[in-house]
Amino acid sequence: DAEITQSPRHKITETGRQVTLACHQTWNHNNMFWYRQDLGHGLRLIHYSYGVHDTNKGEVSDGYSVSRSNTEDLPLTLESAASSQTSVYFCASSSISRLSSYNEQFFGPGTRLTVL
Amino acid sequence: GQQLNQSPQSMFIQEGEDVSMNCTSSSIFNTWLWYKQEPGEGPVLLIALYKAGELTSNGRLTAQFGITRKDSFLNISASIPSDVGIYFCAGQKGSNYKLTFGKGTLLTVNP
C-alpha cells in the first residue's frame, strides 16, 4: 500500500547543530508539505513543494530549508537548531489531479524533535 | 496569517452522546476537510467537502459545507471511547493547494 513515512520518529539534538528530518511518500504525489505542531498554535506550514525542484516558504519558514530532488522525498533541514524549534513535525502530501481529490492532504506519523 | 476559528476547544462527553463542532472564517473556502489526530500519530482525514451545502457522512460522522462557504460543521453520533482525539478542520481557498487549519477540538469520551 502507498504510504508516507517520516524518520527519525524521535530526535534529541543540541542548540546550533544542523538537523535533517526525512519524509518519503509512495503515492507519487506532486505536492508535499512540512508543518510544525505546537500547543496553542495548531498546525503551521513551514515549507511546501509542488513538484521536483520547486520549493516555497510557508508562514514559519525562518531557520528551515527544504529541497526537492525527486517526487518521493522532501527533507526538512534545520540549519542551526534553536530551542524554539522544539516541536512535533509533520510531513504531508497531496495530488494535483482533480480526479484524485486534489486538496486532500495525507500526513505522516510525525517526528518529535527536542533541541537542548 | 489566515485563521480558522474552531469551537469548542474541548469537549467532555459521556459515551453514547452526540457531538457537534464547527469551524468558521471571514473568508470563503473552496474545500473543507475534517481530520482526527490520536496521541503520537499524524492527522487522519475523515471527511472532505467540495461543494457549498454538501452534506457527507462517514459512518457515525457527518460533516457539512456551509452554504456561505465560510463555515463547516462536524457531527459525531452515539460517541464511543475510541472517538477520543483532537479533531481539526482545514480549508482550502484560491487556486493553490495549501490548507489552513483550525486549532482543533479535543474530545474526551467517558465510558
Side-chain angles (χ1 to χ4, degrees):
Chain A
D1 286 343
E3 61 178 356
I4 182 166
T5 57
Q6 294 183 236
S7 62
R9 293 295 311 277
H10 302 272
K11 175 77 175 178
I12 300 175
T13 191
E14 296 177 341
T15 301
R17 289 191 181 267
Q18 184 181 77
V19 177
T20 297
L21 309 182
C23 175
H24 179 79
Q25 53 96 5
T26 58
W27 278 302
N28 201 35
H29 283 166
N30 282 64
N31 303 334
M32 295 185 73
F33 307 84
W34 272 105
Y35 296 89
R36 61 177 289 175
Q37 185 176 38
D38 306 284
L39 274 175
H41 291 281
L43 287 158
R44 292 183 291 175
L45 184 63
I46 305 171
H47 281 287
Y48 59 101
S49 169
Y50 289 157
V52 176
H53 302 311
D54 176 73
T55 60
N56 306 279
K57 294 181 178 181
E59 62 179 299
V60 290
S61 61
D62 287 349
Y64 303 94
S65 64
V66 293
S67 61
R68 189 90 180 270
S69 58
N70 59 52
T71 300
E72 296 79 19
D73 300 287
L74 186 69
L76 176 71
T77 298
L78 286 68
E79 302 293 343
S80 177
S83 57
S84 60
Q85 294 177 308
T86 292
S87 186
V88 181
Y89 291 85
F90 289 101
C91 179
S93 71
S94 68
S95 169
I96 63 170
S97 169
R98 289 179 178 268
L99 296 177
S100 302
S101 302
Y102 64 101
N103 281 322
E104 297 174 9
Q105 291 185 18
F106 298 91
F107 284 79
T111 294
R112 182 174 294 275
L113 177 67
T114 302
V115 182
L116 301 177
Chain B
Q2 174 67 47
Q3 290 287 328
L4 289 182
N5 301 308
Q6 187 172 349
S7 65
Q9 283 187 308
S10 61
M11 302 182 73
F12 299 85
I13 63 171
Q14 292 297 125
E15 183 176 359
E17 291 183 356
D18 296 343
V19 173
S20 291
M21 59 190 78
N22 69 83
C23 240
T24 61
S25 174
S26 58
S27 300
I28 289 174
F29 284 86
N30 299 325
T31 302
W32 285 96
L33 306 169
W34 285 92
Y35 288 86
K36 178 189 178 185
Q37 185 179 24
E38 298 186 12
E41 300 182 8
V44 174
L45 182 64
L46 299 173
I47 292 178
L49 302 159
Y50 286 94
K51 293 169 62 174
E54 181 181 356
L55 187 71
T56 297
S57 294
N58 178 5
R60 293 178 295 105
L61 277 61
T62 301
Q64 184 162 25
F65 192 139
I67 197 71
T68 65
R69 296 172 64 192
K70 294 181 179 181
D71 56 10
S72 180
F73 304 86
L74 176 69
N75 296 314
I76 305 173
S77 63
S79 60
I80 59 178
S82 63
D83 289 334
V84 165
I86 303 175
Y87 292 79
F88 291 98
C89 63
Q92 181 272 338
K93 60 187 295 188
S95 58
N96 63 65
Y97 300 101
K98 293 188 292 182
L99 296 179
T100 300
F101 285 84
K103 293 188 177 182
T105 295
L106 173 61
L107 178 64
T108 302
V109 180
N110 296 317

